[in-house]
Amino acid sequence: MTTPLLRRLRIAFSTLIFICFFLIFVDFRSLIPSKYTNILLFLQFIPSAIRFYSLQSMAAGGFLAVLALTVLTGRTYCSFLCPLGIGMDLNSRIGGRIKKKFRRYGLKKPFTILRYLLLAATLIVTMVWGIYMLTLLDPYSIFGRFMTYFAKPAVIEINNFLAGVLGRFDIYYLSDIPFKGFPLIVYAVPSLFFLLIGGLSLTKGRLFCNMICPVGTLLGLLSKISILRIKFDDSACTRCGRCAVRCKSSCIDFLNHNIDVTRCVGCFNCVTTCQDKAISYGIVSLKKKEHVTDENKRKLIATSVLFLLGISRIAKGQDKPAPKPKKDSTVKEERKFPVCPPGAGSIADFNKDCTACSLCISACPNGVLEPAYKQYGITGMMQPVMNYHKSFCTYNCTICTEICPTYALHPLVLDAKKLTQLGKVTFIKDNCIVKTEKTACGACSEACPTKAVYMIPYEGNLLIPEVNVDICIGCGHCEYACPTIPYKAIFVDGNPVHLAAKKPVNQESEIKTPVEFPF
């Protein structure tokens, strides 16, 4: 096929995919149902492979579909379905508008040794130590971090600006959304990749995909046996070189009529550019060619495939804070473990499967999740962790468990989530203003959805908190509600392995979704 419709189809389809992914990450009002999100995530290669390993079910075999698609059509996944790749194409287009030379690519060296070494290192590290390199290099997770760390805050700022403007005309369709950022240190890696990928795509097209991305390298190897691919008509080609100039993968050797299919991402720019109709996309010719079989590369493909198949609402703050302490608390909260999100099962299992794509952080309606920077250690950097100083886990919410693409967070029905103990509450009496300032409070007790925190008589008419860890689910309502600073008088220490809490005695009908505090 030499029709320009191929390129137009690619642009239309990839634009739709990019918009969908953009929306699910910046959806700060949680308008998009998780079932639609899961449809999009099914074909994301690394998350799907990890999910398949966890579930051992073909229902999570989206990556197998990607492998089959690659054998049939080449690396079209990179141009049609990878949100990071599509984003790079968009950035390349912007680069071409800024400077003409940025859109004149030409044939470049393939960095063969580097990309295969990175692929091998990623596979070995993943098999021996865990998914740490995948966390860094998975293109979907990189895209997710870009959206969560940079795009979503920008969208919220725009919303707040428009809300302010419309408010002056008594139009209140938009409301002001408070945004709580993350610790500065967790921006380090996403910022580095943002500059690296942004700069490379702006000036060099798909160089990141063809030099660093392990998914691109693996699919490139499979592309060598693809049925459909870009091909030359030697008799029609006039060697004008336009195809090589427009090839953002820099993989066309027009002088020798050769296309490096391991780097070709199936953008079809060359098909549209060729005025001689000498380049087409179709079934590969069966004519015999003299070639030398690269056994090492075949072994690498086999190893990679075997490995993959074998691995068997923004929380509303305390508008009227509880009694404001007159002096700082003095006893530090001694946490032994961080609190990992519901559905994780255990910290170890969670760290093993999470690629830090940040989708749960972005989707959490309460904003209680944030990227970890030291809580899980260096290998768990950027994986989501609960921050109860910032917000709390809503009692009737399971969104994060419904959308996790890697199955690091297992789906939980609501009843099970309500009895999943993420951590245990600890009360520090010496920090409580009831004792230190002889002031009535009870914010923690009022906020607790299971009444694991309740008030007992203290001195005179004062009441002081008491805890029942058996029915505590570690949601953090109490910790967030506690007014003492800098240290809380009540906090949640994470469970390294999530436990089952006892069912509270009080009737659930009395438990409402506590999105607002009583103070």
Side-chain angles (χ1 to χ4, degrees):
M1 291 181 283
T2 59
T3 171
L5 285 177
L6 285 171
R7 180 171 177 270
R8 293 173 188 167
L9 174 65
R10 189 263 302 173
I11 292 175
F13 188 86
S14 60
T15 301
L16 177 64
I17 291 292
F18 186 84
I19 292 173
C20 290
F21 273 104
F22 177 80
L23 290 178
I24 66 172
F25 275 99
V26 303
D27 179 23
F28 56 84
R29 293 185 182 277
S30 302
L31 299 176
I32 303 174
S34 56
K35 62 181 179 181
Y36 298 121
T37 303
N38 288 328
I39 293 173
L40 276 174
L41 297 177
F42 179 72
L43 289 177
Q44 291 308 300
F45 192 81
I46 296 295
S48 171
I50 295 173
R51 193 182 183 95
F52 179 82
Y53 169 63
S54 299
L55 291 179
Q56 300 286 309
S57 167
M58 291 303 295
F63 79 105
L64 294 174
V66 174
L67 293 177
L69 177 70
T70 305
V71 171
L72 178 64
T73 67
R75 279 180 61 184
T76 50
Y77 169 85
C78 301
S79 281
F80 283 74
L81 293 169
C82 175
L84 184 66
I86 299 169
M88 284 191 280
D89 286 346
L90 177 62
N91 204 35
S92 297
R93 195 175 182 85
I94 295 172
R97 295 294 176 91
I98 296 173
K99 220 168 196 178
K100 284 185 178 179
K101 75 173 187 179
F102 289 164
R103 62 172 182 255
R104 299 175 63 85
Y105 302 107
L107 179 65
K108 300 285 193 321
K109 60 182 180 180
F111 297 101
T112 305
I113 295 177
L114 174 61
R115 56 186 169 134
Y116 290 151
L117 280 177
L118 279 173
L119 174 62
T122 304
L123 293 173
I124 291 170
V125 169
T126 302
M127 287 187 287
V128 177
W129 290 290
I131 61 171
Y132 316 124
M133 278 194 73
L134 282 182
T135 298
L136 283 177
L137 300 178
D138 169 34
Y140 162 75
S141 298
I142 293 173
F143 175 82
R145 290 192 285 270
F146 288 172
M147 293 295 105
T148 302
Y149 290 56
F150 307 122
K152 187 175 181 180
V155 171
I156 291 177
E157 286 299 323
I158 293 172
N159 170 85
N160 293 347
F161 173 75
L162 293 176
V165 172
L166 294 176
R168 296 184 178 181
F169 299 96
D170 294 330
I171 300 173
Y172 301 104
Y173 179 74
L174 299 177
S175 58
D176 193 75
I177 304 296
F179 177 74
K180 302 172 184 175
F182 310 127
L184 281 178
I185 190 171
V186 302
Y187 287 91
V189 174
S191 298
L192 180 63
F193 273 81
F194 186 81
L195 293 174
L196 173 67
I197 295 175
L200 287 178
S201 59
L202 193 73
T203 60
K204 306 292 182 184
R206 290 290 195 121
L207 185 56
F208 177 85
C209 302
N210 289 325
M211 184 173 65
I212 298 176
C213 179
V215 177
T217 304
L218 178 61
L219 298 184
L221 286 169
L222 278 182
S223 294
K224 292 180 75 72
I225 59 171
S226 63
I227 298 172
L228 298 169
R229 64 179 70 172
I230 301 291
K231 56 185 180 179
F232 267 108
D233 180 350
D234 297 1
S235 60
C237 178
T238 59
R239 291 185 169 84
C240 66
R242 290 190 181 93
C243 54
V245 170
R246 288 293 307 279
C247 177
K248 55 194 172 193
S249 293
S250 301
C251 66
I252 298 180
D253 179 3
F254 68 95
L255 293 175
N256 297 306
H257 293 159
N258 182 46
I259 296 174
D260 184 353
V261 293
T262 65
R263 290 188 285 159
C264 174
V265 295
C267 68
F268 307 125
N269 283 354
C270 54
V271 176
T272 303
T273 302
C274 183
Q275 298 178 350
D276 304 317
K277 305 296 182 188
I279 295 183
S280 62
Y281 180 68
I283 298 176
V284 65
S285 172
L286 296 178
K287 67 180 180 181
K288 293 185 178 179
K289 293 176 63 177
E290 288 290 332
H291 66 276
V292 178
T293 302
D294 191 332
E295 294 296 338
N296 291 331
K297 291 181 179 178
R298 289 194 170 190
K299 288 178 181 177
L300 184 55
I301 294 175
T303 303
S304 303
V305 172
L306 286 174
F307 160 70
L308 290 167
L309 293 175
I311 61 176
S312 343
R313 218 62 37 206
I314 304 296
K316 295 184 179 179
Q318 294 165 271
D319 297 330
K320 296 180 181 178
K324 193 173 181 180
K326 296 176 182 174
K327 53 186 178 183
D328 289 347
S329 51
T330 56
V331 184
K332 190 175 181 181
E333 308 146 17
E334 294 186 0
R335 300 177 196 272
K336 297 176 183 174
F337 298 99
V339 184
C340 60
S346 70
I347 294 176
D349 287 344
F350 178 66
N351 293 158
K352 187 178 65 178
D353 291 338
C354 176
T355 62
C357 73
S358 300
L359 181 57
C360 57
I361 295 175
S362 183
C364 178
N366 255 14
V368 66
L369 288 171
E370 69 174 24
Y373 54 97
K374 65 178 181 180
Q375 293 87 339
Y376 299 130
I378 188 68
T379 55
M381 196 167 178
M382 297 183 295
Q383 291 180 341
V385 66
M386 298 287 203
N387 182 347
Y388 292 148
H389 278 227
K390 182 180 177 186
S391 189
F392 56 91
C393 183
T394 304
Y395 190 59
N396 294 326
C397 177
T398 58
I399 287 178
C400 61
T401 72
E402 296 169 6
I403 59 169
C404 178
T406 66
Y407 212 61
L409 300 180
H410 298 232
L412 282 177
V413 297
L414 188 56
D415 287 342
K417 191 253 182 176
K418 289 178 178 178
L419 293 176
T420 300
Q421 188 182 67
L422 312 179
K424 293 185 179 72
V425 63
T426 299
F427 178 53
I428 307 174
K429 193 173 183 178
D430 290 336
N431 282 348
C432 183
I433 59 174
V434 177
K435 178 183 177 182
T436 58
E437 301 181 20
K438 308 299 181 187
T439 300
C441 184
C444 52
S445 173
E446 291 290 339
C448 179
T450 65
K451 298 307 172 190
V453 184
Y454 55 97
M455 305 300 287
I456 60 173
Y458 181 55
E459 292 179 359
N461 295 327
L462 291 176
L463 301 175
I464 199 164
E466 181 70 37
V467 299
N468 178 359
V469 296
D470 291 338
I471 61 173
C472 173
I473 58 174
C475 61
H477 283 79
C478 56
E479 182 174 334
Y480 180 62
C482 179
T484 61
I485 54 173
Y487 308 120
K488 299 286 187 176
I490 194 164
F491 71 96
V492 176
D493 192 20
N495 284 339
V497 177
H498 289 178
L499 303 174
K502 290 184 179 179
K503 196 170 184 178
V505 176
N506 55 304
Q507 297 297 316
E508 278 196 14
S509 58
E510 297 176 359
I511 301 172
K512 307 297 183 185
T513 304
V515 295
E516 292 187 75
F517 283 94
F519 296 95

